[in-house]
Amino acid sequence: MTNTSEAPSADVLMEVKGLKKHFQVKKGYFKKEISNVKAVDGVDVTIYEGETLGIVGESGCGKSTTGEMLLGLMKPTEGSVTFMGKDLTAMNKKELREMRKDIQVIFQDPFASLNPRMTVEELIGEPLKIHTSKTKKEIRNEVVELLEVVGLNQEQLKRYPHEFSGGQRQRIGIARALALKPKLIICDEPVSALDVSIQAQILNLLKKLQREFNLTLVFIAHGLPAVRNISDRIAVMYLGKIVEITDRDQLFAGALHPYTEALLKSIPVDHPSLRSNYQPLEGDLPNPANPPSGCAFHTRCPFAQEICREKAPSLEEHRENHHAACHYPLYK
Amino acid sequence: MSEPLLEIEDLRVRFRSDEGVVSPVNGVSFQVHEGETVAVVGESGSGKSMTSLSILGLVPAPGEVYDGSIRLQGEDLTKMKRSQMRKLRGNEISMIFQEPMTSLNPVFTIGNQMIEVIRLHQKLDKTESIQQAVTMLDLVGIPEPERVLKQFPHQLSGGMRQRVMIAMALSCNPKLLIADEPTTALDVTIQAQILNLMKELKDELNTGVILITHDLGVVAEVADRVVVMYGGEVVEEATVDEIFNHPVHPYTKGLLASVPKMTGPVEELGAIKGSVPTPSEMPTGCKFHPRCPIATDLCKQVHPQLEETTPQHFKRCFHTEGGVKHDEHERSTIS
Amino acid sequence: MVTKTEQPNEQALDVNNHSAKTSSSQSKKWIKQLLKSKTGTVGLLIVVSVILMAIFADLIVPHSHSETNVADRLIPPFWMDGGSSEYILGTDNLGRDILSRIIIGSQVSLLVGISSVIVAGAIGLSLGLISGYYGKWIDQVIMRLVDSFLAIPNILFMLIILAVIGTSLPAIILVLGVTTWVIYARMVRSETLSIKERDYVKSARAIGANDMRIISKYILPNVISSFIVIATLNVATTIILESSLSFLGLGIQSPDVSWGLMLSDGRDYLATSWWVATFPGLAITITVLGIIFLGDWLRDVLDPKTK
């Protein structure tokens, strides 16, 4: 493996600015009534080379939609995604296909993300077939190599996905993503469909591969413990916006946004001795088609004031490298 | 200790097909007392869900409970007639499922479904059962219960639906509640609400709860006692503190080590190698031996028995403190 | 449950040798699977014998299929009173031997049944894939076309076309194909719509596969099994549809013969001489069953899960 890591780790790999995705949902028989679901509503984030950025949030927060836009699989309504100096959102189909060599993805459900009619060899060799002019034999040798990298073996080349367990399938998916030696891999809930003991294997594997291939990872998940385990920095999303972003340890040591705080306290404890009488957040997640005015979190926020109902707070640096979108951040 | 509410002894379930006999549950025994939450922990294929279905007499065909007993306050459920079991379900034993959307009938209102359950098991007239339904919805923290009664399942959020499911399950004051991954499909903040609700209800109603889960965090949060299952059998059983402080079985240890933590330093996770075998390819001897870091030849050949190490702490392993035991019957049924 | 399909190690890196071996082991596997499935074997036997019958029809017919013989009209099958061992399955209203006509008729019926399903299937499959995959205006256009085909009664449509271009065997195949493609187009479109949203198609886009490749390698292989099921069922419908054309005088014309034509000829004699219509009907049923059995087996073979 040629490891061309000439850039220092602080180099910007991807710059996301003002990213928005609004879906128009037509209702009613005559399709008159149109509601605008703001799945992603203004996301700014910088991804540095070699880091792992975790994106956490609950369902409907727009984390997966953001992921698809970073991949260039979905056109944003507004905003730009600049990857190595080029704007993905301005690329045509052909340029995007070319760019796929550098940005890859690992999906959540290893049972759904592998074509059931392809063998392992075809699945992992497919990106090489598309992007290189390698011979069948060269491709097979690379596939065998990739299988070893992800902890499978070459006897499994001719098998079909259904012959594998969930963890093994996820390894196949990872090998497929690695085949073109990408710079950035977007992991969209890569472990949440797996058994506990397998989750740990996959998390460890991702960390190992990141070191070995100098990968940059965006790790999208709803499970904070897994995100904490793998990420260098963590962004917390709520209803289409990043509400807080900072280094991992900083986030766990002192969250600034009340939502982050609530999220951290909602996670079941590590040990029965840590049980508390914490009263969980009340209410449900608001409907993204009809988000609350002002700060989207004000309907559930224990500290909400008048201004929170009226004005949406912007993402500001309240401490060094610690940004939060809150009028009354939790200083402790 | 008082009489147990539920006593499962040597429960065995098998599925016969053209390809042979598969046993997803292979000699499971444990007890549940009144007001106690017992967490049954395991990964997919551990037999935990099949165990809970056996208690309700709902093992899907061609499966059957072919050995062992399940006694609810002394009465053996495995020997009951179908009609008796039907009367029991929803009345003495209730169940809540993982996916509240698919377990509610989408074409009836919440009220319709709740009142049907209540009237099926209790001799109440219509107004009384509506009153009972409102009381139950109120109990599980649903605002404006009268309005919710008139709504259809799709009009409620996931968390609300799970609350409705719990209200329905509790509406006939069951002695035993089986919760199969009740929070797995929910968001984190909603999961916290539901777990909180379960803790409150347990104190209030003194119901015995079997909590089926793969999430050790949920176990740490609400369980009193823990039964760890692997390959269709119990490999360890102890109080929740014992399990977290002094796990004995290598599988339990591995499981605890493989969970990413929210506190303490971030470390490499202690993953268990390999994957869970399917029931048809279950190894001989100790079922965990191919994945076990301390397995020896003995583990490959002989099936270990569940034995008490310290009071109220049971394990199925040769190589942790405690003697070596096995019996011939077990060996012959495995091969 | 898990079948072992392991290849020996040393083979894995030897490209030529390997692919040769897999293709032969593949066909061996197919045959093994065919013999394992009883219905598949029966289906294959039926289909092969019907095809052989069609190919060697002229050599095996006991009588001429078109020569009329009024003296021997409506003779019942040989086991009935008045039956004759000369005409095993009896004769029709013009004294023609039914067995001979079934044998010769198999040529046209098979040809029409299978070819028009191929024509319809090809049109329906490609339009359905395009419509479902690309969506937007192409989908709108194709679906409106489908709607209009559904709105016009099939028979009327066929009559008009045949009246314009004249009736001949290729014309009949074409017309039957063009009128029945809608079934496939709708089925393939809806399957494509759901498969398009699956993660593995997304993953194909993520590795940079172009539309052609996604359609041919990711979508087509996953719709093909339901397609085959519908197609085999439609061979039957087409054979019968051809008979209604014959009945209206626009199908196969005497002295040529098809099972459909025989069926409609026999309709007038159903009450008095049941055999005239029953035997061609049986021929259709048996052939169609054979094709369906074979189709079922084919669907299983194409599904890697059943290997």
Side-chain angles (χ1 to χ4, degrees), chain C:
Chain C
M1 251 168 70
V2 177
T3 46
K4 293 268 188 313
T5 53
E6 271 176 46
Q7 307 287 337
N9 286 358
E10 65 272 23
Q11 225 177 283
L13 293 169
D14 189 342
V15 179
N16 296 323
N17 189 9
H18 187 84
S19 54
K21 270 191 189 166
T22 44
S23 72
S24 77
S25 75
Q26 193 89 359
S27 51
K28 248 187 230 157
K29 225 187 305 176
W30 282 32
I31 292 167
K32 223 179 176 181
Q33 218 174 335
L34 178 64
L35 293 178
K36 216 167 69 185
S37 143
K38 278 177 205 131
T39 51
T41 319
V42 171
L44 186 77
L45 278 178
I46 294 174
V47 172
V48 166
S49 21
V50 175
I51 289 174
L52 286 177
M53 179 166 95
I55 293 172
F56 299 109
D58 292 325
L59 301 176
I60 55 174
V61 279
H63 294 273
S64 157
H65 70 277
S66 53
E67 211 168 277
T68 59
N69 182 356
V70 188
D72 286 345
R73 66 192 295 264
L74 296 178
I75 292 177
F78 72 94
W79 65 86
M80 286 176 60
D81 281 350
S84 139
S85 59
E86 212 185 325
Y87 305 110
I88 294 173
L89 299 180
T91 61
D92 68 2
N93 56 322
L94 295 175
R96 294 172 295 196
D97 177 33
I98 289 181
L99 180 62
S100 305
R101 285 174 71 74
I102 286 179
I103 293 172
I104 297 288
S106 69
Q107 294 179 328
V108 170
S109 288
L110 272 194
L111 195 65
V112 169
I114 293 171
S115 317
S116 39
V117 163
I118 290 172
V119 171
I123 303 175
L125 189 61
S126 22
L127 289 185
L129 282 171
I130 291 171
S131 183
Y133 183 76
Y134 288 101
K136 297 189 182 149
W137 67 269
I138 303 184
D139 183 35
Q140 291 290 323
V141 170
I142 294 174
M143 281 303 111
R144 292 302 81 76
L145 195 66
V146 165
D147 289 347
S148 42
F149 265 88
L150 285 173
I152 307 169
N154 267 355
I155 290 286
L156 182 68
F157 183 76
M158 293 192 283
L159 287 180
I160 295 169
I161 305 253
L162 284 176
V164 174
I165 62 171
T167 145
S168 64
L169 197 57
I172 291 168
I173 291 171
L174 192 74
V175 163
L176 286 172
V178 167
T179 41
T180 50
W181 66 273
V182 224
I183 313 160
Y184 308 102
R186 275 161 49 110
M187 187 278 290
V188 172
R189 174 181 175 267
S190 67
E191 289 262 305
T192 306
L193 279 179
S194 88
I195 291 170
K196 190 172 75 166
E197 296 305 320
R198 307 238 169 112
D199 275 355
Y200 59 80
V201 172
K202 229 188 253 175
S203 117
R205 291 212 290 142
I207 58 162
N210 60 24
D211 293 343
M212 244 345 267
R213 193 174 186 91
I214 292 178
I215 293 177
S216 62
K217 293 207 74 175
Y218 291 79
I219 296 182
L220 184 62
N222 288 294
V223 298
I224 205 76
S225 45
S226 345
F227 175 79
I228 285 173
V229 173
I230 307 258
T232 47
L233 286 171
N234 265 293
V235 172
T237 326
T238 324
I239 290 176
I240 293 167
L241 214 55
E242 185 270 323
S243 79
S244 37
L245 280 182
S246 302
F247 184 69
L248 292 166
L250 284 165
I252 298 302
Q253 306 295 316
S254 268
D256 285 341
V257 62
S258 73
W259 293 344
L261 183 66
M262 292 175 73
L263 206 59
S264 53
D265 280 352
R267 198 148 23 172
D268 296 339
Y269 303 93
L270 219 46
T272 50
S273 317
W274 56 267
W275 56 90
V276 183
T278 306
F279 290 117
L282 264 178
I284 295 177
T285 312
I286 291 170
T287 309
V288 165
L289 267 181
I291 294 173
I292 289 174
F293 287 165
L294 202 62
D296 269 359
W297 163 74
L298 201 60
R299 184 196 53 192
D300 289 348
V301 162
L302 288 175
D303 188 349
K305 278 192 197 118
T306 55
K307 272 180 195 161

Side-chain angles (χ1 to χ4, degrees), chain A residues 2-127:
Chain A
T2 48
N3 203 340
T4 53
S5 57
E6 68 273 292
S9 64
D11 274 10
V12 172
L13 186 69
M14 185 181 258
E15 180 99 56
V16 180
K17 277 206 172 111
L19 199 64
K20 289 186 183 177
K21 182 73 195 181
H22 295 180
F23 294 103
Q24 292 194 334
V25 182
K26 290 168 181 165
K27 284 184 193 161
Y29 188 72
F30 293 104
K31 300 188 174 173
K32 281 272 171 59
E33 199 183 323
I34 292 172
S35 69
N36 213 3
V37 178
K38 295 174 179 171
V40 176
D41 199 25
V43 162
D44 299 275
V45 67
T46 308
I47 299 163
Y48 299 97
E49 208 168 315
E51 76 164 342
T52 299
L53 174 72
I55 301 182
V56 277
E58 299 177 277
S59 56
C61 74
K63 56 189 191 299
S64 289
T65 312
T66 305
E68 285 199 25
M69 288 192 283
L70 300 193
L71 271 167
L73 279 181
M74 189 189 275
K75 282 254 181 243
T77 314
E78 235 178 80
S80 67
V81 177
T82 313
F83 177 69
M84 302 206 301
K86 279 180 253 160
D87 188 359
L88 291 189
T89 58
M91 285 185 182
N92 64 29
K93 260 189 163 179
K94 215 178 149 201
E95 289 171 307
L96 270 174
R97 272 209 294 274
E98 200 50 32
M99 186 273 311
R100 296 271 147 74
K101 279 191 258 181
D102 292 319
I103 308 182
Q104 273 302 315
V105 57
I106 298 167
F107 291 96
Q108 167 174 11
D109 184 355
F111 291 84
S113 57
L114 302 176
N115 186 349
R117 308 269 167 156
M118 283 179 153
T119 61
V120 170
E121 183 181 1
E122 290 173 299
L123 282 164
I124 302 175
E126 183 84 343

Side-chain angles (χ1 to χ4, degrees), chain B residues 94-134:
Chain B
S94 272
M95 183 151 181
I96 44 182
F97 297 90
Q98 173 174 354
E99 205 359 281
M101 192 61 217
T102 48
S103 8
L104 287 168
N105 188 337
V107 300
F108 291 110
T109 62
I110 302 297
N112 268 325
Q113 303 186 49
M114 286 196 73
I115 288 159
E116 197 197 332
V117 172
I118 294 168
R119 296 195 68 180
L120 201 63
H121 295 295
Q122 295 179 344
K123 289 192 178 70
L124 294 177
D125 66 22
K126 190 134 190 230
T127 33
E128 282 171 325
S129 32
I130 292 175
Q131 198 44 53
Q132 169 79 348
V134 170

